[in-house]
């Protein structure tokens, strides 16, 4: 087994959006104000409760879902352990970026349970004494795991995570997980499932092998050598594939389309695996139809896709040619998410251990974080099942095809203009962000707004050149209209969600998840609207 070269500090090589064009600026988090108050110009004020030095920030009382406090205040983290995780592509393990930050803005939320209260104050609670964690540590020790000073704890706001018992220095190893602790396709092939996998044609995919193993071991219960790890895994998830159809219908259109694709993909994979599951009957007393049910398969699929780290394995001849890059890493996957940290993570061939080193210092008794990569909230929800409040990478996508309805129907060159945008990739990655409309969105609008006599200048537009003051003002005006319509639509959905929560027809925690996403996007749209209004007021 060998680890692939780390990308951007380690982890899965997530493809990044196309580079921004001239004059663009990447989305940035809101400016930090005083300790008691943070405010971004044009957005509502947000007061934060005072906190004890060295502790985390208090959280709202909503369980399990990352609900924004008030935009834009702090980063919210998803609790993939408590069932808030999901992914679109089945072989895309999460990107592993690890570190810690003392900045309150870098501390996030992923409400799972009611925070522990002591004398009216929120407290960090060491949970290393809990039976499931005692058993896990024994299991890890038997497999030569070396304690690096991290213990499971429950933090105000972030819920379950890992706490440092001592101060951590930059470059210090915080996790050194032996290969024997990693759950990979090698593990599956060496198990009782191996002979059946080797016989099956066409060869099953690495993902299917891992899912089958998880279902089989969970069914084995106390007889499974992986029981100590399985006991701490979440019982359910909140990625879109697990949400009620009525809740998915409330998502923004781009995300809803991807969520429906995700659901169809999982169902197709399960349906196509039925014949393979039936061959495993000799291994079980009970009918395999009851063991390998859709609900069990969905749980296993979400577990692999939301908790796996990137680790390239030697190709197994009995598996399909799909990349074998997923490994489940017990204990490591207790680390929570923050977008403000850095890491060095890789499989050490010399020691045969998966090692993670901090790229920043961490104080004693402070939570240590990982990061899944620079993802916006729609992608975080799609792939991991949570929404991040005040995410510096958050944006509101604008479908390229939606631009046409804001332009004159009499424009005879409209089809040709749209063809040019598609050919040059300007119908994707059109967004509103904390800094206003993206350069790509404005550039696409400028090209679509070109007058007939200046249409031959379309190449200059794509290169970022200004064609005329009229073109600049017209494109900015259309961007304002789009933003206004998006705000109106978002507010309407928020009212609908509020009514549905009162009606209790759908799960409240799922509705709260949609509400979190919509509120965060409304804040972004309001920020963009104010920036565009100011820009237009300053133009001659």
């Amino acid at each position: 087994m060998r680890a692939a070269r780390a990308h951007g500090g380690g982890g899965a090589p997530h493809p990044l959006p196309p580079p921004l064009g001239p004059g663009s600026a990447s989305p940035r988090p809101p400016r930090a104000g005083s300790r008691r108050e943070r405010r971004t110009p044009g957005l509502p004020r947000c007061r934060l409760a005072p906190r004890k030095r060295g502790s985390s920030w208090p959280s709202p009382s909503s369980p399990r879902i990352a609900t924004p406090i008030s935009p834009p205040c702090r980063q919210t983290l998803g609790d993939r352990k408590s069932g808030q995780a999901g992914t679109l592509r089945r072989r895309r393990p999460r990107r592993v970026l690890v570190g810690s930050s003392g900045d309150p803005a870098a501390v996030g939320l992923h409400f799972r349970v009611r925070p522990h209260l002591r004398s009216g104050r929120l407290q960090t609670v060491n949970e290393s004494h809990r039976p499931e964690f005692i058993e896990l540590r024994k299991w890890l020790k038997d497999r030569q795991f070396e304690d690096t000073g991290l213990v499971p704890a429950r933090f105000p706001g972030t819920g379950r995570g890992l706490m440092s018992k001592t101060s951590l220095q930059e470059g210090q190893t915080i996790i050194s997980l032996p290969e024997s602790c990693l759950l990979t396709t090698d593990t599956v092939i060496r198990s009782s499932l191996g002979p059946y996998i080797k016989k099956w044609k066409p060869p099953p995919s690495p993902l299917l092998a891992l899912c089958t193993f998880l279902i089989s071991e969970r069914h084995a219960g106390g007889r499974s050598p992986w029981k100590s790890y399985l006991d701490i895994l979440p019982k359910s998830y909140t990625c879109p594939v697990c949400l009620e159809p009525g809740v998915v219908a409330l998502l923004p259109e781009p995300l809803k389309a991807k969520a429906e694709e995700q659901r169809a993909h999982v169902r197709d994979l399960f349906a196509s695996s039925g014949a393979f599951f039936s061959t495993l009957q000799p291994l079980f007393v009970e009918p395999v139809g009851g063991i390998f049910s859709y609900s069990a398969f969905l749980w296993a699929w979400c577990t692999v896709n939301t908790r796996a780290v990137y680790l390239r394995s030697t190709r197994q001849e009995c598996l399909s040619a799909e990349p074998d890059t997923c490994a489940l890493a017990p204990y490591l996957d207790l680390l929570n998410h923050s977008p403000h940290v850095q890491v060095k993570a890789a499989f050490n061939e010399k020691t045969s251990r998966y090692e993670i080193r901090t790229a920043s210092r961490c104080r004693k008794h402070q939570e240590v974080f990982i990061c899944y990569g620079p993802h916006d909230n729609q992608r975080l929800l799609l792939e991991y099942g949570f929404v991040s409040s005040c995410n510096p990478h958050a944006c509101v996508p604008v479908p390229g095809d939606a631009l046409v309805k804001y332009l004159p129907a009499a424009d005879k060159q409209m089809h040709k203009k749209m063809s040019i945008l598609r050919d040059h990739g300007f119908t994707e990655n059109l967004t509103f962000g904390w800094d206003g409309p993206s350069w790509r969105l404005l550039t696409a609008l400028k090209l679509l707004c070109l007058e007939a006599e200046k249409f031959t200048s379309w190449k200059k537009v794509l290169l970022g050149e200004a064609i005329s003051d009229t073109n600049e003002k017209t494109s900015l005006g259309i961007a304002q209209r789009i933003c206004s319509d998006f705000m109106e639509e978002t507010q309407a959905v928020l009212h609908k969600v509020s009514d549905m929560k009162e009606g209790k027809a759908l799960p409240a925690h799922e509705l709260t998840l949609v509400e979190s996403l919509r509120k965060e996007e409304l804040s972004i749209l309001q920020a963009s609207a104010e920036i565009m209004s100011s820009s237009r007021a300053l133009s001659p």
Side-chain angles (χ1 to χ4, degrees), residues 71-357:
C73 305
R74 330 172 4 224
Q75 177 64 31
T76 298
L77 311 182
D79 188 354
R80 59 193 188 287
K81 280 74 66 181
S82 66
Q84 300 188 37
T87 185
L88 172 61
R89 283 166 287 279
R90 63 178 189 247
R91 294 183 306 282
R92 173 165 292 168
R94 66 184 179 189
R95 194 176 189 184
V96 182
L97 301 176
V98 176
S100 175
S101 172
D103 182 2
V107 179
L109 310 172
H110 62 170
F111 316 119
R112 185 182 179 200
V113 298
R114 189 179 301 276
H116 179 77
L117 296 176
R118 182 180 299 167
S119 301
R121 292 186 179 182
L122 298 170
Q123 300 287 334
T124 295
V125 182
N126 188 327
E127 295 198 335
S128 57
H129 65 282
R130 293 179 65 89
E132 62 267 30
F133 291 122
I134 292 176
E135 290 302 317
L136 179 63
R137 293 300 294 267
K138 288 180 180 178
W139 182 85
L140 291 168
K141 186 177 181 180
D142 290 342
R143 295 172 178 244
Q144 287 75 53
F145 174 74
E146 297 176 1
D147 187 2
T148 54
L150 299 185
V151 295
R154 187 166 301 281
F155 300 89
T158 58
R160 188 179 68 179
L162 291 181
M163 176 180 67
S164 176
K165 293 191 296 185
T166 60
S167 298
L168 299 177
Q169 303 301 316
E170 183 177 350
Q172 183 174 342
T173 300
I174 60 170
I175 289 285
S176 181
L177 203 61
E179 186 175 1
S180 59
C181 295
L182 299 175
L183 200 168
T184 66
T185 53
D186 291 333
T187 309
V188 180
I189 300 304
R190 292 195 302 267
S191 73
S192 59
L193 295 173
Y196 295 88
I197 292 176
K198 292 176 180 178
K199 293 178 183 178
W200 184 252
K201 301 298 177 185
S205 66
L207 172 66
L208 179 58
L210 289 172
C211 289
T212 304
F213 182 82
L214 285 173
I215 298 171
S216 175
E217 293 301 302
R218 187 171 73 158
H219 176 74
R223 294 177 285 111
S224 170
W226 291 83
K227 179 181 184 300
S228 298
Y229 174 55
L230 295 173
D231 284 347
I232 68 164
L233 291 176
K235 302 299 184 290
S236 61
Y237 295 88
T238 55
C239 46
V241 70
C242 303
L243 300 180
E244 292 288 336
V247 176
V248 174
L250 299 171
L251 297 173
E253 286 300 326
L255 179 57
K256 181 166 64 176
K258 292 178 181 178
E260 290 171 351
E261 291 177 6
Q262 184 186 68
R263 188 186 299 271
H265 164 71
V266 176
R267 287 194 176 277
D268 289 346
L269 181 59
F270 173 72
S272 63
S273 303
F276 167 67
F277 294 148
S278 65
T279 65
L280 305 178
Q281 185 61 68
L283 296 175
F284 305 94
V285 176
E286 301 86 346
V288 291
I291 299 172
F292 293 91
S293 62
Y294 177 72
S295 60
F297 182 79
L298 182 61
W299 170 83
W301 185 90
C302 289
T303 298
V304 174
N305 283 270
T306 64
R307 304 178 75 84
V309 297
Y310 185 91
L311 187 66
R312 187 176 295 277
S313 301
T314 303
R315 185 180 181 281
Q316 302 277 354
E317 292 298 328
C318 58
L319 297 177
S320 68
E322 296 179 18
D324 188 355
T325 56
C326 288
L328 289 171
Y331 209 63
L332 181 154
D333 58 10
L334 291 174
L335 291 162
N336 282 327
H337 164 80
S338 170
H340 304 275
V341 297
Q342 295 290 329
V343 74
K344 293 180 180 178
F347 186 82
N348 190 324
E349 297 286 355
K350 295 181 180 179
T351 62
S352 294
R353 292 172 177 267
Y354 193 92
E355 298 176 349
I356 296 179
R357 298 177 183 273

